[in-house]
Amino acid sequence: MYCGKNDMQHAEQQTVLFSSVYGQGDGFYVTIENVLQAAIIFTVRRLIRPTWLNDRDQFLQPTEPLTDIFKTDCLMWMLFNRNNRTASANNLEWNGKKWSIVNHFIPYTEAEVDASDRFESDFMVQYLADKTLSPEATAVLDAGRVLWKTYFTHTDTRSVRETYKLNRADVGWYQIRNALAERNKSGDTAPIHFSPLEDAYAALTDKLRPQVFSLGFLR
């Protein structure tokens, strides 16, 4: 997770989740032990839009207890944010070798989305298995499942596959939303509607936004 300067001015550009290391130095590895903390940091830093009035405000430690529902709301908000850049890919060349990236952040099983092949990791499915989700988070998860399933109904053109490295089944949200957007541009498939997910995500956003202040992350 790339997590840069600690003020509102930089939070929008410097809060991103990647599937590999980011070389600027302002970041940390996301693990099973800290994934909820990462989700909270990611969400709190990106929920409030910077303006000329607040761009110097500093993020603080919370002053109130964080509920389990708040934590899982943040996790779902992070998974479907545009700055979740987690992805998968084969045959990436670096330092004279070829490498693969596994996506660990798929919140669905292969059967749920009619995937074309096995997912190498079921980390996020297992992680969510014993978690209670709010109605708002569940709505986002359900709407996202429809888009994930839609992705597997069609094979994208070679140029799209190469651009977004669509050579594994365990693609990430960044790859899926861009591939589906390319299909809408081409007109080769029936129109794909993002509005159900966008509406559900907006409702989750509206729920979380005031908590940034009530919990003491910003004052």
Side-chain angles (χ1 to χ4, degrees):
M1 180 171 162
Y2 174 35
C3 185
K5 308 285 191 302
N6 193 48
D7 56 36
M8 285 290 299
Q9 181 182 14
H10 296 92
E12 167 69 17
Q13 295 82 18
Q14 298 187 10
T15 309
V16 190
L17 190 67
F18 292 114
S19 284
S20 188
V21 294
Y22 183 81
Q24 188 163 314
D26 298 318
F28 58 89
Y29 287 107
V30 179
T31 70
I32 190 171
E33 287 81 15
N34 71 4
V35 63
L36 280 181
Q37 290 93 328
I40 293 166
I41 292 169
F42 181 101
T43 301
V44 166
R45 285 172 58 88
R46 293 190 51 80
L47 268 171
I48 308 301
R49 293 187 180 277
T51 69
W52 67 274
L53 291 172
N54 69 10
D55 67 353
R56 302 297 182 184
D57 289 356
Q58 302 290 310
F59 293 98
L60 305 168
Q61 292 185 359
T63 56
E64 302 294 329
L66 306 182
T67 66
D68 290 341
I69 288 295
F70 173 77
K71 295 173 185 178
T72 53
D73 278 352
C74 287
L75 179 59
M76 202 57 56
W77 199 89
M78 178 180 73
L79 290 178
F80 287 92
N81 188 267
R82 64 182 176 83
N83 270 27
N84 171 11
R85 304 293 176 86
T86 54
S88 69
N90 284 332
N91 300 319
L92 298 176
E93 295 188 14
W94 178 77
N95 201 27
K97 297 181 180 179
K98 289 190 175 182
W99 305 81
S100 293
I101 292 178
V102 177
N103 180 19
H104 298 278
F105 282 77
I106 304 176
Y108 313 109
T109 66
E110 301 93 332
E112 284 184 272
V113 295
D114 295 336
S116 58
D117 202 351
R118 292 288 305 275
F119 298 154
E120 189 166 337
S121 170
D122 65 350
F123 164 74
M124 190 53 66
V125 169
Q126 295 299 324
Y127 191 79
L128 289 170
D130 63 350
K131 304 294 188 296
T132 300
L133 299 183
S134 68
E136 293 84 358
T138 300
V140 171
L141 187 65
D142 290 344
R145 185 184 296 106
V146 174
L147 293 177
W148 227 281
K149 193 170 183 176
T150 299
Y151 169 80
F152 286 108
T153 64
H154 178 78
T155 300
D156 292 287
T157 63
R158 180 176 179 179
S159 62
V160 172
R161 295 199 309 271
E162 290 181 350
T163 297
Y164 296 106
K165 303 294 185 289
L166 306 178
N167 52 28
R168 293 175 59 102
D170 53 351
V171 287
W173 173 233
Y174 169 80
Q175 293 166 299
I176 284 180
R177 65 183 177 83
N178 280 287
L180 295 182
E182 293 289 348
R183 293 182 199 176
N184 278 345
K185 289 179 186 177
S186 70
D188 293 338
T189 64
I192 298 163
H193 301 290
F194 287 85
S195 55
L197 175 62
E198 292 169 348
D199 291 345
Y201 194 80
L204 180 59
T205 300
D206 290 342
K207 177 188 178 184
L208 284 168
R209 187 181 291 115
Q211 296 182 69
V212 175
F213 299 97
S214 65
L215 294 173
F217 291 102
L218 286 174
R219 298 174 196 168

